[in-house]
Amino acid sequence: MDKNNSEANPGRAGRLGNGPARSHEGASAAHPLPLYSFLPFRLMRAGLIMSSAGHKLSELVDASTAPIKEREWRVLSMIGAEGGLTSVEVCELSGLDAPTVSRAVKTLSQLNLIRALKSKSDRRQALLILTEEGARVHDDISAKRLVSGQQIAACLSEQELATFLKTLDKIEAHTRGLKDGPEEWQE
């Protein structure tokens, strides 16, 4: 088996993992990141590779009958998946900042793809839900995204996929705890 193969050598070094690092006259890092065993890099890279596999999101959104962009799709897809979310929940789930979510919500509302239900106990709170047209657009794009997801997961057995998802849950819970550490204060 090839020594640079990711299965044979997951901590492989060098240029794009395909061999030894380039030789040059420039300075070298004293503590280079071992990219192919550095979990944040591997997850980011896997996400990038998966996003271009199968049905590309940008192409699906562009082909949609609704004049939306990826930003609006991300919000629409989460509302559709969860059956309704507040803007704060969309931010937490997506990692998008509040102004980005606010712009997407405004666009989706203007296009009649979502609507807001006001809380009876707190009028500042609104539950964002799909309209009939929003559900149609959501289902049209998500059906193709599901096919892409199945194509990506096809290399894993059911047990491997279950273990991988459980491991991701564990990493997510752990890193959420790291992020939500004690509050720091300053003058």
Side-chain angles (χ1 to χ4, degrees):
M1 188 178 284
D2 181 1
K3 290 181 184 176
N4 291 319
N5 181 302
S6 63
E7 291 177 359
N9 189 3
R12 64 192 185 222
R15 199 168 153 262
L16 302 177
N18 295 322
R22 282 190 174 136
S23 176
H24 55 78
E25 294 180 21
S28 295
H31 305 286
L33 283 174
L35 292 179
Y36 292 90
S37 61
F38 184 60
L39 194 54
F41 173 79
R42 292 299 301 267
L43 291 173
M44 179 273 308
R45 184 165 164 77
L48 288 173
I49 292 168
M50 287 187 289
S51 70
S52 64
H55 296 288
K56 292 182 183 173
L57 178 57
S58 59
E59 293 171 2
L60 292 175
V61 171
D62 288 346
S64 168
T65 57
I68 61 173
K69 301 292 182 206
E70 287 185 45
R71 171 184 68 191
E72 288 80 23
W73 164 249
R74 292 187 199 296
V75 173
L76 189 72
S77 68
M78 287 176 217
I79 293 169
E82 295 293 325
L85 293 169
T86 65
S87 289
V88 170
E89 291 170 328
V90 172
C91 290
E92 290 171 359
L93 187 60
S94 68
L96 296 171
D97 60 36
T100 299
V101 170
S102 179
R103 285 190 298 273
V105 166
K106 181 178 179 183
T107 299
L108 292 168
S109 295
Q110 289 171 340
L111 293 170
N112 195 34
L113 298 178
I114 63 170
R115 63 187 182 98
L117 301 176
K118 295 287 183 188
S119 169
K120 289 181 181 179
S121 62
D122 184 352
R123 301 298 287 172
R124 297 170 297 173
Q125 291 289 326
L127 182 69
L128 305 170
I129 61 171
L130 299 178
T131 62
E132 290 297 322
E133 179 63 11
R136 190 192 63 70
V137 170
H138 172 275
D139 292 348
D140 180 52
I141 296 173
S142 67
K144 295 171 183 133
R145 293 293 289 164
L146 286 169
V147 169
S148 294
Q150 291 166 348
Q151 291 171 338
I152 292 165
C155 67
L156 302 173
S157 69
E158 285 183 33
Q159 180 61 42
E160 287 172 325
L161 180 59
T163 300
F164 181 65
L165 293 174
K166 186 175 179 181
T167 302
L168 287 175
D169 289 342
K170 186 175 183 177
I171 291 168
E172 194 173 317
H174 174 71
T175 53
R176 190 176 296 117
L178 295 174
K179 178 180 145 191
D180 297 337
E183 185 66 46
E184 294 183 22
W185 301 96
Q186 65 183 24
E187 286 190 42

